[in-house]
Amino acid sequence: MNISLTAQLAQHISSHHPGEEQRRYARDGVTDYFACLFPVLHGSVIDSGLDAVFRVYPAEHSLENLALQLGYMSHSLDFDDYHTAFRGHPTTVVLSALLALSKDNRSVTAEQFLDAYIVGVELAGRLGKAIGTRHYSAGFHSTATLGTVAAAGAACRLLALSTAETQVALGLAATQASGLRSQFGSAAKPLHAGLAARSAVSSVQLAQAGFGGQRSGVLDSFLQTLGFGAGQPQALLSGWGQPWRIEEPGLEFKRYPTCGGTHSAAEAAFVLREQLLAAGVETTLDVIERLSLIHI
């Protein structure tokens, strides 16, 4: 009997074990996460949507809402790490879900927490490959869509869910995954990260409670439907941890609070500025004025 894609993935999530080298990379990701979260949390940077998020999603007695708040705040500045294979920001969703679930689970060790985070990044990178090249270009925000499934997988690892429970949780996460790039430029972009973390937490909680979601076929459908025919399901399974994706290609830590795709242009602008200064041009306005005179 063939084992389903989801069952195989669930087994990978529980059976592959990172080492101390991978945890070192994970600690860097955790540090970056809190560096992005704290300025918003403590009001050092004013955020237009934060008050509304707190009012609509109060975290008291709600781990799901806590995950949402953490996801929103850690992505609000758009300074958090990204992963090239994922084409999005894995840490904001994965760690927000894990931190929320750890709140009432004091038995989790630091190593278990980091290993779950590493597994989440692994799954995020694999989902980016498995969904294919059309998902993002069609208008979907990978942090929101793929991040929901990646965070659910990490949470299953953290809480040591059974294979059957993990299958259900992954399917529930996939069926809730959503997020459109058309929301970029508004407070809805960081809300995507929060909603993804919230959906991951609720998916795992429902699976633990015995909710009867489908165990097989949902991830296959997810990759086919949102991959627009370019999905590569086997990318979810082959070569886990060889190397771990938190190591290669690794997390990219931003120098600028903008989309990672703009950083090359920003670096080029700084290089150009240095070259202009070295050539004796005092300001960029001087260059613009000279170019304008040439064209006139």
Side-chain angles (χ1 to χ4, degrees), residues 47 49-58 65 68-69 72 187 191:
D47 180 87
L50 190 60
D51 286 344
V53 166
F54 282 166
R55 288 198 306 271
V56 176
Y57 299 102
N65 286 354
L68 185 147
Q69 289 185 5
Y72 179 88
L191 183 62

Side-chain angles (χ1 to χ4, degrees), residues 170-183:
L170 292 172
L172 290 174
T175 206
Q176 296 179 80
S178 63
L180 300 174
R181 289 197 292 125
S182 55
Q183 285 286 6

Side-chain angles (χ1 to χ4, degrees), residues 25-41 66-77 79-82 89-101 113 117 193-194 197 251-254:
Y25 286 98
R27 290 185 182 95
D28 291 340
V30 172
T31 301
D32 183 77
Y33 173 88
F34 283 110
C36 296
L37 171 72
F38 283 159
V40 180
L41 175 63
L66 175 59
L68 185 147
Q69 289 185 5
L70 291 171
Y72 179 88
M73 290 187 288
S74 59
H75 192 45
S76 178
L77 298 179
F79 226 143
D80 49 307
D81 66 46
Y82 66 98
H89 308 261
T91 297
T92 180
V93 184
V94 173
L95 276 187
S96 295
L98 294 180
L99 286 167
L101 288 168
F113 184 89
Y117 171 39
L251 299 170
E252 298 282 346
F253 299 117
K254 291 185 172 185

Side-chain angles (χ1 to χ4, degrees), residues 28 35 48 72 85 91 105 129 171 174 190 217 221 226 231 240 257:
D28 291 340
S48 64
Y72 179 88
T91 297
N105 194 347
K129 292 291 186 182
S221 176
L226 295 187
W240 260 68

